[in-house]
Amino acid sequence: MTQTEQIITIALMALMTVATRALPFIIFPPGHTTPRYITYLGRVLPLAVFGMLVVYCLKDVQWLSGTHGVPELIGITATILVHLWRRQMLWSIAAGTIVYLLIIRLP
């Protein structure tokens, strides 16, 4: 890419990022009630994403060979415990990921 193309690409990415961030405020302006389906999606989508993440992470686990999924089960347990403690999805995901990575990387 030439320098001009790089500048145009960066400018378009910045414009699209700003537009994406501003779009919800344009569609649902302050002072108006949010439609029920948007409120519903805001309530159920985080759980759906978390469920998809669990399925994706466990889809290739070989339950009948090697360590039989022990690191995965310990990571899931850490995720559940941190979620029950903090009630913060990002803390839960981070804790489970860190515990799992430590288990599979440390001798």
Side-chain angles (χ1 to χ4, degrees):
M1 281 170 108
T2 65
Q3 186 174 9
T4 304
E5 291 172 333
Q6 290 176 357
I7 291 171
I8 291 170
T9 301
I10 291 170
L12 285 174
M13 289 174 20
L15 178 66
M16 293 311 296
T17 300
V18 170
T20 303
R21 301 288 184 193
L23 191 61
F25 297 101
I26 294 169
I27 295 174
F28 308 112
H32 292 89
T33 59
T34 305
R36 287 183 357 163
Y37 66 91
I38 298 297
T39 305
Y40 170 75
L41 289 175
R43 194 173 61 249
V44 299
L45 278 181
L47 296 174
V49 169
F50 201 73
M52 286 176 36
L53 179 63
V54 169
V55 170
Y56 177 77
C57 289
L58 296 178
K59 69 180 176 55
D60 293 327
V61 174
Q62 300 296 322
W63 297 102
L64 300 176
S65 66
T67 57
H68 306 290
V70 172
E72 289 82 359
L73 291 175
I74 294 172
I76 290 169
T77 303
T79 302
I80 291 169
L81 292 175
V82 170
H83 190 71
L84 291 174
W85 172 46
R86 298 289 298 201
R87 298 281 185 204
Q88 294 282 328
M89 191 172 292
L90 291 178
W91 277 101
S92 307
I93 293 170
T97 302
I98 291 168
V99 167
Y100 173 74
L101 290 176
L102 286 174
I103 290 172
I104 64 169
R105 299 287 182 220
L106 296 177

